Amino acid sequence: MGLWRAMVERVARAGSAQALNVVAFSGGVDSSVVAALVYEAFPRNSVACLGVSAALPADQLGLARKIAGEIGIQLLETPTTEGEDPLYVENRGQSCYHCKTNLRGSVDKPFLFNGTNADDKLDPTRLGLIAASEFRVVSPLEDLSKAHVRALANERGLLNWNFAASPCLRSRLAFGVSATADHLKRVEAAETFARSFLQLAPQDNLRVRFLPQNHAAVELDAARHASVTSEERNTLAVHCAELGFAETVVRPFRSGSLSLPPPPGLTH
């Protein structure tokens, strides 16, 4: 428990024994580790804050509630209004920044923590990190790789220590596909069906990407993608068509595959 104890002490130095210590929480492994650290350092004056909007899948909300309960930290579910911001909805590369600004602006507390890790800092598309710096959010895991964070979570006994990452639904939308509640709900419904139909475990990566021209891409880990049958592809395509997608492809999962703008001429 050497590293864990050192991390608790680091959090204790960064937070406050008197004021409220707030963790930006998603139910993912990174924010779960930070929530556990902050709660251990400040068991009487810490809370986890979860932004609730159309970009949060229902199953992720359920997981967040379960993880917070196991840690013991109080969970505040805070409705956010990024969907009312035209700059967020237009999804032209700045949505993450506007979303995080909205969330942190709605939490009027002096000590804020998030789950940013060292790998996140290498990703230039994570503009939410700029918002975090503007609000002076503390990132206790910023020097640890994702692998080290997962090891810490396993050491702490967090049930999601090896779960696949599950970023917000807006990240599934291609550049320029508007981040409306309808588009987000269509992606969520498609992913819910695909995960159940393909019998994927929480550790398995799955993304349904909302592509330009109303197309969809179901992304699976390489091994599962290689084993997809023509019948499974057809069933996925039929279900996506029922949700309003014009065409669906099944392809290998690649993190951040929608980070860059599309070629000229492709819009929604």
Side-chain angles (χ1 to χ4, degrees):
M1 295 290 285
L3 179 56
W4 183 268
R5 176 47 51 191
M7 294 300 295
V8 172
E9 292 175 355
R10 177 178 180 177
V11 165
R13 291 192 297 270
S16 171
Q18 288 79 38
L20 192 61
N21 300 277
V22 180
V23 180
F25 191 66
S26 69
V29 64
D30 301 309
S31 65
S32 296
V33 167
V34 173
L37 289 168
V38 171
Y39 180 70
E40 188 165 331
F42 305 104
R44 291 181 296 278
N45 59 322
S46 60
V47 298
C49 183
L50 175 67
V52 179
S53 71
L56 178 69
D59 59 354
Q60 190 67 19
L61 173 58
L63 177 63
R65 289 170 173 169
K66 185 173 184 178
I67 296 294
E70 291 194 349
I71 292 171
I73 193 169
Q74 179 185 359
L75 178 61
L76 299 180
E77 298 176 18
T78 304
T80 58
T81 58
E82 70 274 7
E84 300 173 9
D85 185 342
L87 295 175
Y88 170 86
V89 175
E90 71 177 7
N91 192 28
R92 292 284 175 179
Q94 300 287 325
S95 294
C96 187
Y97 170 80
H98 294 293
C99 174
K100 297 302 184 186
T101 298
N102 180 282
L103 173 61
R104 274 136 196 167
S106 68
V107 181
D108 185 22
K109 304 299 178 184
F111 292 90
L112 301 175
F113 296 81
N114 70 10
T116 298
N117 62 53
D119 294 350
D120 295 334
K121 293 164 64 177
L122 300 176
D123 184 351
T125 69
R126 290 180 174 265
L127 299 185
L129 300 184
I130 298 176
S133 66
E134 291 175 353
F135 282 87
R136 299 182 181 179
V137 179
V138 179
S139 303
L141 309 179
E142 63 182 354
D143 297 324
L144 301 180
S145 68
K146 186 76 171 189
H148 282 107
V149 174
R150 290 193 182 278
L152 266 182
N154 189 25
E155 180 181 345
R156 176 60 173 72
L158 298 177
L159 69 88
N160 61 344
W161 72 272
N162 64 343
F163 281 20
S166 182
C168 76
L169 292 171
R170 201 280 314 159
S171 68
R172 274 70 150 175
L173 307 182
F175 185 93
V177 174
S178 55
T180 62
D182 173 66
H183 287 171
L184 297 170
K185 291 301 182 184
R186 284 167 64 185
V187 169
E188 180 179 10
E191 286 195 358
T192 298
F193 174 81
R195 185 167 290 278
S196 175
F197 173 66
L198 297 174
Q199 299 182 4
L200 302 180
Q203 296 81 10
D204 298 324
N205 285 296
L206 166 69
R207 300 286 189 278
V208 173
R209 308 290 192 186
F210 198 134
L211 306 178
Q213 301 176 351
N214 201 31
H215 291 183
V218 179
E219 294 188 354
L220 304 167
D221 285 327
R224 186 63 182 92
H225 172 260
S227 69
V228 173
T229 66
S230 58
E231 290 81 8
E232 288 174 328
R233 290 175 185 269
N234 182 65
T235 299
L236 291 170
V238 168
H239 186 78
C240 286
E242 292 173 350
L243 292 172
F245 290 104
E247 183 178 319
T248 300
V249 298
V250 181
R251 66 192 190 188
F253 167 75
R254 183 165 65 88
S255 180
S257 63
L258 297 185
S259 296
L260 298 177
L266 282 183
T267 65
H268 55 253

